[in-house]
């Protein structure tokens, strides 16, 4: 990863670490329990959580594994992850500083690698997947959760080129809110990247999650002009993007919208 990219992630997330510890989407999101179920962890397994943030995924897996390393590139996030593990008496969680594209672990060390709501920040998904494969034992398991861009399922009436434009507009919308956002590809891109890299898909699910606009922008400390522009995009931006994001205002006047989360469990093939 470039120095600039690393610095951007650290400055965005370093200042927001405490907000991620308490964020409902991260601490209680539906994907947290579901990915643990789908991954079917075993008590003797050694695990690694990549880009752990405030440690919610590592804490969810910890009771089902021998141990798990909660890793991240941002020191403040590692502090939050250690605090969460201590608060929950999870003695089998340790923390380590690690960049997703150059994991500082031996080959074939882990039975399980997981990564939730973070890969869209990584500068090179192929490099990340190759690193996951390298540190997994033969037959080891990768459990991924991330936001994805729209595809024909979300936009059944749109042409392929309109879908591609909407995927680009969605990523631009995310990047406006968080400059350290890289790329959230559509689901089929994840499937191709994983199968091309030597993984066999064993489970795949996708669902919409509701976001509260005001918490979403506050968590990333967006400037007032940015908030105005993000709100404008949601309320009067491109129609396909609004079909995908489903903006709606509740009775109290609060703006909400939806994102799509993809869950994949994939095993390392020989
Ligand atoms: C939204 S948070 C992660 C949420 C967390 N996994 C969860 O399930 O609640 C994104 C995290 O990705 C980390 N991150 C971003 N780019 C990274 C990279 N290249 N290598 C390692 N961590 C990275 C950030 O420091 C941040 O803590």
């Amino acid at each position: 990863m470039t120095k600039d990219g690393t610095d951007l992630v650290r400055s965005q997330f370093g200042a927001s670490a405490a907000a991620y510890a308490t964020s409902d989407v991260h601490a209680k999101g539906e994907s947290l329990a579901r990915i643990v179920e789908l991954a079917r962890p075993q008590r003797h397994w050694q695990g690694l959580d990549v880009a752990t943030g405030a440690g919610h995924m590592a804490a969810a897996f910890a009771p089902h594994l021998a141990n798990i390393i909660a890793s991240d590139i941002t020191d403040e996030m590692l502090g939050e992850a250690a605090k969460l593990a201590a608060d929950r008496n999870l003695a089998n969680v340790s923390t380590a500083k690690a960049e997703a594209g150059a994991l500082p672990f031996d080959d074939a060390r882990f039975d399980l690698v997981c990564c939730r709501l973070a890969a869209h920040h990584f500068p090179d998904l192929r490099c990340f997947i190759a690193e996951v494969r390298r540190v997994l034992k033969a037959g080891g398991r990768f459990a991924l959760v991330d936001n994805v861009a729209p595809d024909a399922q979300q936009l059944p009436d749109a042409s392929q080129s309109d879908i591609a434009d909407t995927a680009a507009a969605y990523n631009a919308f995310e990047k406006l809110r968080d400059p350290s956002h890289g790329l959230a590809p559509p689901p089929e891109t994840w499937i191709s990247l994983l199968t091309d890299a030597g993984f066999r898909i064993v489970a795949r699910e996708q669902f919409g999650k509701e976001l509260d606009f005001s918490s979403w922008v506050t968590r990333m400390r967006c400037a007032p002009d940015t908030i105005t522009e993000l709100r404008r995009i949601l309320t009067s931006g491109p129609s396909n993007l609004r079909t995908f994001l489903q903006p709606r205002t509740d009775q109290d006047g609060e703006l909400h919208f939806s994102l799509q989360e993809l869950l994949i469990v994939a095993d390392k093939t020989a």
Side-chain angles (χ1 to χ4, degrees):
M1 183 174 202
T2 64
K3 182 92 168 61
D4 284 355
T6 308
D7 287 347
L8 197 51
V9 164
R10 286 186 184 134
S11 69
Q12 284 298 122
F13 284 99
S16 305
Y20 277 83
T22 53
S23 154
D24 275 357
V25 178
H26 296 86
K28 302 180 191 156
E30 188 182 345
S31 60
L32 202 52
R34 186 61 185 146
I35 194 69
V36 175
E37 280 170 8
L38 291 174
R40 305 165 78 100
Q42 297 186 27
R43 295 262 172 217
H44 64 278
W45 280 7
Q46 315 274 331
L48 170 68
D49 185 21
V50 177
T52 194
H56 300 296
M57 179 86 144
F61 269 110
H64 308 280
L65 301 175
N67 54 60
I68 185 161
I69 299 176
S71 72
D72 202 282
I73 203 173
T74 306
D75 290 323
E76 291 86 343
M77 285 296 199
L78 291 173
E80 292 294 337
K83 211 188 296 174
L84 181 69
D87 287 350
R88 294 199 192 165
N89 289 320
L90 295 169
N92 62 344
V93 178
S94 56
T95 59
K97 192 153 181 171
E99 201 277 304
L103 297 172
F105 305 107
D106 290 342
D107 296 0
R109 167 155 177 198
F110 300 102
D111 303 278
L112 172 82
V113 175
C114 55
C115 181
R116 175 172 174 259
L117 301 178
H120 56 265
H121 293 286
F122 303 163
D124 184 339
L125 292 180
R126 275 193 183 80
C127 176
F128 164 56
I129 292 168
E131 278 294 87
V132 171
R133 193 170 194 285
R134 180 184 66 75
V135 302
L136 277 174
K137 296 177 184 173
R141 185 152 282 183
F142 178 38
L144 172 84
V145 178
D146 207 5
N147 300 332
V148 281
D151 61 8
Q153 284 221 311
Q154 261 69 53
L155 300 173
D157 300 328
S159 66
Q160 280 305 317
S161 97
D162 284 349
I163 292 169
D165 287 350
T166 309
Y170 162 62
N171 275 289
F173 174 74
E174 289 276 15
K175 206 169 180 64
L176 180 59
R177 178 245 183 181
D178 171 8
S180 76
H181 176 90
L183 178 73
E188 285 313 319
T189 301
W190 269 114
I191 300 297
S192 305
L193 285 168
L194 287 165
T195 49
D196 291 354
F199 283 90
R200 183 175 59 88
I201 308 297
V202 294
R204 170 188 178 172
E205 286 186 6
Q206 185 172 330
F207 47 77
K209 66 175 166 190
E210 173 156 323
L211 283 111
D212 165 40
F213 178 78
S214 112
S215 324
W216 184 69
V217 291
T218 305
R219 199 155 56 242
M220 267 299 162
R221 307 170 328 282
C222 293
D225 286 358
T226 305
I227 296 174
T228 302
E229 178 57 7
L230 289 165
R231 190 181 284 278
R232 186 200 66 73
I233 294 169
L234 275 174
T235 52
S236 58
S239 69
N240 279 331
L241 184 59
R242 284 185 287 121
T243 300
F244 176 59
L245 296 173
Q246 298 174 35
R248 60 233 171 238
T249 305
D250 70 13
Q251 287 167 342
D252 299 332
E254 284 294 326
L255 181 59
H256 298 264
F257 66 102
S258 293
L259 291 179
Q260 288 288 313
E261 268 187 36
L262 175 70
L263 287 65
I264 294 180
V265 175
D267 284 353
K268 175 176 171 174
T269 56

